[in-house]
Each structure stands twice: as C-alpha cells, then as structure tokens.
Amino acid sequence: MPPKGVETWDQLLAAEAVTKLRAGHQGIQTVRAWTGIVAEHYYALTEKAIRAADPDALLFGDRLPIYYDPIAIRAEAAHVDAIATNYNVDAGDGWVARYYFDALHTLTGGKPVLISEWFFAATENRSGNLTTRPFS
C-alpha cells in the first residue's frame, strides 16, 4: 500500500514514508512480477555483454545464497550455462538436503549446479565465541 497521499509513480519515488504490503491482498504478486522483469533484464543484458567480449565463455549464474528467489532463478537459467550456489549444511552430521538441489534442477530445466562454497557451522569459531545456532 503506498503512503498516504501518493497517487503517481513520481510521488512514490519522492515519498519518504514506507510503502507496505497489506496482509491478505495481492501486493506480493506485484513484487514477484517486478522481480521477474528485473531479473530477466539483468541476466539478458549480462549474457549479451559477456558473449560480446567472449563468445565461448562459460557463464555461471550468481553465486546463490542458501535461500534464493525461484522467480529470479527461472530468469537466470535462460541466460547461463550453469548455476553456482553456496550450500550450508542443514544438520550437524553433514546431512545434505536433496530438496535444495532438486528444486534448482527443476527451476533451471536441468542446468548443472556448481557448489562454489560448502560449509557447516561449528559450535564455536576461532575466537572462542559461540555461534548463534549451535547444533544439538
């Protein structure tokens, strides 16, 4: 919901009050549509620029965090050769969540996935400070 008194895009850009989504309404659909438009434009432009400089370059997508936006992944997949991701192990025993990789496989139409960083947290770091989420 735009701030009170905002009725045009120019007014929205100039507004200092926060725009909020209303619970139970469809504002998130607008956010998702905008995400798709921006991601498609970004990845198409990036692919075009890299291919102009090096037509044979291997294009990796952004190095994804553990929580990614499926809409952005779909847009990205059309413009890259492989998806790169960080992977944070979900459990202290090193268990790997197949659903994470299955979802990437589905969203990208089967593009290869490069795990560019793999990690899991220890219960304390080198400084001796406990992590915020120790494993049980």
Side-chain angles (χ1 to χ4, degrees):
M1 167 166 67
K4 197 173 212 169
V6 171
E7 297 177 13
T8 68
W9 287 109
D10 288 335
Q11 289 175 338
L12 182 60
L13 288 172
E16 293 184 19
V18 176
T19 300
K20 299 177 184 175
L21 295 177
R22 289 182 287 179
H25 293 268
Q26 298 301 311
I28 194 62
Q29 300 307 325
T30 302
V31 171
R32 289 179 179 145
W34 180 247
T35 297
I37 291 166
V38 171
E40 173 60 33
H41 183 72
Y42 171 80
Y43 289 111
L45 184 63
T46 300
E47 178 186 26
K48 183 178 178 181
I50 293 171
R51 294 283 184 226
D54 184 355
D56 298 321
L58 181 61
L59 298 181
F60 291 109
D62 294 320
R63 197 170 86 171
L64 302 172
I66 190 78
Y67 303 107
Y68 53 78
D69 186 323
I71 293 165
I73 298 301
R74 284 189 190 104
E76 174 184 7
H79 300 285
V80 300
D81 299 308
I83 301 296
T85 185
N86 292 351
Y87 185 71
N88 181 17
V89 174
D90 293 333
D93 63 0
W95 176 78
V96 174
R98 292 243 356 147
Y99 61 83
Y100 180 83
F101 299 101
D102 290 345
L104 281 176
H105 181 82
T106 299
L107 289 167
T108 65
K111 295 272 175 140
V113 174
L114 170 71
I115 302 172
S116 54
E117 182 176 313
W118 184 87
F119 59 94
F120 63 94
T123 54
E124 69 179 50
N125 60 33
R126 282 192 243 171
S127 71
N129 294 331
L130 295 179
T131 62
T132 57
R133 192 187 71 148
F135 294 112
S136 53

